């Protein structure tokens, strides 16, 4: 194919894209993970919205709220509820002439406390402040001082949503934000909504931070199949009218409910099915497109999970995937067996391996992310050993390594 033919092919692809995103879609963005729907589209979380709003509520009149932590597995509506309550609080505050700063930080994407503060600062910083929040180059204390300055000068109260807060190296940021008024650092009340996938995150918090949050904790249960089906049904206007086969949404809901009730995965799967239909120039989205899209959705989710991991975490993951693929009759592998394969991976790519203890720590971090599972075994004597299993399809993991 010469360059002119290649250009014509690209032009034809672009010409098939309409303002909604692609021919099969009307409003593709409705199926994006970061899309915050209207309250009528939020399914099965009325009680949780009411409880979170009740704790944060005083902020809309400039009074100190209760900071809270929301726990639950991925895709059970934690971030959605936190963002929704924050958005409604800002609207209510405006109606009362209360200047409320609201900001959202995904801590998985932040490179530590300073980066999280910088992101929040840029969200709330009005153009007229003259204060800068560079991505790097100043100390954590200086970021705090600049955030306090903006809040004191331009706002009456503040909300900060710290999503995936367990990805931060420590709870210093949580403690500083939740105690800022008490410590005299800032003159306006601050409400913190912390979100974590890990139910045991509180166990790693300092006593001072635990005291700040008290017992203001909420656990979100996974969605069931009926709820996921309703969630997807509420977003069918992402597609052009009449393009979805009747069985697509029930099938997508059933697949997602089977795997921990993950609504994010359900929406990703439905979006990819639409993309697959577009690639085939089909005029309808069929159940068969879900099967084709499933592998892409798996890869995308795994990439999301491992995006912030150091290289050797990925090498250990590849080692576990190799063992799983090459020994299909076994599910569990002892630490030393995984380490032996990890050493082979390092040798193949020409990098120095980490210590045995660090290898074990990296395996436990993969378990923390629910990429791997672990269990304790008992040896012939009185000793114990650890075993690990891969919770993802080995071929999907190895696709990322290719």
């Amino acid at each position: 194919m010469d360059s002119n033919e290649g250009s014509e092919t690209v032009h034809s692809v672009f010409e098939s894209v309409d303002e909604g995103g692609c021919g099969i879609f009307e409003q593709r963005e409705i199926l994006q993970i970061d899309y915050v729907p209207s309250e009528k589209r939020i399914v099965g979380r009325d009680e949780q919205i009411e409880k979170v709003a009740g704790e944060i509520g005083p902020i809309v009149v400039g009074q100190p709220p209760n900071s809270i932590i929301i726990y639950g597995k991925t895709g059970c509506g934690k971030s959605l509820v936190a963002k929704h309550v924050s958005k409604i609080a800002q609207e209510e505050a405006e109606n009362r002439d209360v200047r409320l700063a609201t900001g959202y930080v995904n801590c998985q994407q932040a490179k530590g406390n300073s980066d999280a503060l910088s992101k929040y600062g840029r969200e709330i910083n009005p153009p007229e402040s003259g204060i800068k929040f560079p991505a790097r180059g100043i100390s954590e204390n200086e970021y705090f001082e600049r955030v306090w300055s903006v809040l004191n000068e331009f706002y009456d109260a503040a909300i900060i949503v710290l999503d995936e807060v367990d990805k931060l190296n420590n709870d210093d940021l949580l403690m500083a934000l939740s105690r800022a008024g008490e410590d005299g650092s800032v003159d306006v009340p601050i409400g913190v909504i912390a979100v974590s996938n890990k139910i045991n995150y509180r166990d790693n918090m300092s006593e001072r931070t635990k005291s700040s949050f008290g017992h203001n904790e909420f656990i979100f249960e996974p969605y069931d199949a009926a709820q996921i089906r309703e969630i997807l049904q509420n977003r069918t206007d992402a597609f052009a009218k009449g393009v979805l086969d009747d069985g697509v949404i029930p099938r997508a809901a059933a697949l997602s409910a089977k795997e921990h009730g993950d609504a994010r995965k359900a929406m990703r799967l439905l979006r990819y099915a639409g993309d697959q239909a577009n690639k085939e120039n089909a005029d309808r989205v069929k159940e068969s497109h879900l099967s084709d899209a499933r592998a892409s959705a798996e890869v995308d989710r795994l990439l999301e999970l491992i995006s912030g991991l150091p290289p050797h975490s990925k090498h250990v993951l590849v080692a576990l995937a190799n063992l799983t693929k090459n020994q299909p009759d076994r599910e569990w592998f002892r630490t030393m067996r995984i380490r032996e394969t990890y050493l082979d991976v390092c040798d193949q790519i020409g990098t120095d391996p980490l210590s045995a203890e660090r290898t074990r720590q990296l395996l436990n971090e993969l378990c923390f992310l629910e990429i791997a599972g672990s269990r304790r075994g008992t040896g012939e004597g009185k000793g114990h050993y650890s075993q690990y299993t891969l919770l993802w399809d080995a071929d999907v993991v190895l696709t990322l390594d290719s």
Side-chain angles (χ1 to χ4, degrees):
M1 182 173 68
D2 61 29
S3 60
N4 287 334
E5 289 175 334
S7 296
E8 289 174 4
T9 301
V10 173
H11 279 297
S12 67
V13 171
F14 287 154
E15 285 168 2
S16 70
V17 178
D18 61 18
E19 291 182 357
C22 296
I24 211 84
F25 291 103
E26 188 70 31
Q27 301 178 77
R28 189 175 183 275
E29 70 275 7
I30 290 176
L31 293 174
Q32 293 293 114
I33 301 304
D34 57 359
Y35 177 78
V36 180
S38 62
E39 189 163 2
K40 67 180 181 180
R41 291 179 186 263
I42 299 177
V43 174
R45 291 294 177 256
D46 291 348
E47 181 181 348
Q48 290 85 349
I49 289 172
E50 185 176 345
K51 288 181 177 179
V52 172
E55 300 295 339
I56 293 295
I59 204 81
V60 303
V61 292
Q63 296 298 314
N66 292 323
S67 291
I68 62 171
I69 303 179
I70 302 173
Y71 301 105
K73 288 185 176 292
T74 300
C76 67
K78 305 181 304 297
S79 304
L80 175 61
V81 168
K83 289 179 178 179
H84 175 72
V85 171
S86 181
K87 177 183 176 183
I88 299 303
Q90 187 170 46
E91 293 172 0
E92 287 294 325
E94 286 179 4
N95 292 338
R96 302 163 191 258
D97 294 324
V98 172
R99 300 171 301 170
L100 177 62
T102 59
Y104 169 87
V105 178
N106 187 323
C107 298
Q108 183 179 22
Q109 298 172 4
K111 303 178 182 67
N113 293 343
S114 293
D115 194 32
L117 281 168
S118 176
K119 291 177 185 295
Y120 181 65
R122 289 196 294 272
E123 278 202 48
I124 66 170
N125 194 24
E128 65 271 21
S129 76
I131 298 174
K132 304 296 183 184
F133 288 91
R136 61 183 65 85
I138 62 176
S139 69
E140 184 175 317
N141 284 339
E142 180 60 26
Y143 280 118
F144 271 120
E145 290 302 322
R146 295 186 185 192
V147 168
W148 304 152
S149 294
V150 169
L151 291 177
N152 284 333
E153 184 172 354
F154 297 99
Y155 296 99
D156 303 310
I159 292 176
I160 179 169
V161 177
L162 295 175
D163 203 352
E164 302 206 53
V165 68
D166 46 80
K167 298 298 190 296
L168 295 176
N169 294 327
N170 53 56
D171 68 348
D172 292 352
L173 181 59
L174 270 183
M175 184 172 70
L177 289 169
S178 62
R179 289 183 172 265
E182 178 184 324
D183 294 345
S185 302
V186 68
D187 297 330
V188 303
I190 298 176
V192 180
I193 304 177
V195 178
S196 174
N197 294 334
K198 303 302 173 183
I199 195 67
N200 62 348
Y201 174 67
R202 182 182 174 87
D203 297 340
N204 300 317
M205 291 165 55
S206 68
E207 290 304 319
R208 286 195 72 196
T209 308
K210 289 179 184 177
S211 174
S212 295
F213 283 83
H215 296 286
N216 303 317
E217 302 172 340
F218 302 101
I219 299 174
F220 284 24
E221 297 297 330
Y223 293 109
D224 59 31
Q227 289 173 324
I228 291 181
R229 184 170 177 171
E230 187 179 353
I231 288 168
L232 296 181
Q233 196 68 50
N234 283 350
R235 302 199 186 198
T236 54
D237 50 344
F239 295 91
K241 188 174 181 179
V243 303
L244 282 177
D245 273 5
D246 291 341
V248 171
I249 285 181
R251 178 63 175 159
L255 288 171
S256 302
K258 187 177 179 181
E259 301 179 24
H260 310 304
D262 188 339
R264 288 189 178 195
K265 185 170 186 175
M267 286 186 286
R268 185 183 287 117
L269 186 59
L270 192 59
R271 187 173 76 247
Y272 284 176
D275 290 339
Q276 186 65 32
N278 261 321
K279 289 176 185 177
E280 297 176 5
N281 291 319
D283 57 2
R284 296 185 64 78
V285 182
K286 303 177 181 179
E287 287 187 58
S288 59
H289 292 129
L290 287 172
S291 300
D292 296 334
R294 197 175 180 188
S296 296
E298 289 287 298
V299 170
D300 192 38
R301 174 60 184 147
L302 186 56
L303 275 171
E304 185 181 304
L305 284 172
I306 69 173
S307 61
L309 294 179
H312 281 274
S313 293
K314 299 170 186 176
H315 302 336
V316 171
L317 176 58
V318 168
L320 182 55
N322 278 324
L323 285 170
T324 304
K325 184 175 177 63
N326 295 331
Q327 300 184 46
D329 57 327
R330 294 188 61 183
E331 291 185 21
W332 295 88
F333 301 91
R334 292 175 67 160
T335 309
M336 289 310 299
R337 185 71 188 91
I338 298 170
R339 176 164 171 76
E340 290 169 1
T341 309
Y342 160 70
L343 294 176
D344 291 339
V345 171
C346 290
D347 185 57
Q348 290 169 12
I349 62 178
T351 188
D352 293 332
L354 302 179
S355 67
E357 174 61 21
R358 184 59 182 143
T359 304
R360 184 186 64 78
Q361 292 173 353
L362 294 178
L363 279 166
N364 288 333
E365 288 175 11
L366 293 175
C367 294
F368 182 82
L369 292 171
E370 296 183 347
I371 297 172
S374 66
R375 70 182 185 186
R376 297 279 283 173
T378 303
E380 294 181 1
K382 294 184 178 180
H384 295 273
Y385 58 86
S386 295
Q387 291 181 306
Y388 297 88
T389 187
L390 186 64
L391 299 180
W392 289 73
D393 187 284
D395 288 330
V396 171
V397 174
L398 296 174
T399 297
L400 303 182
D401 188 51
S402 60

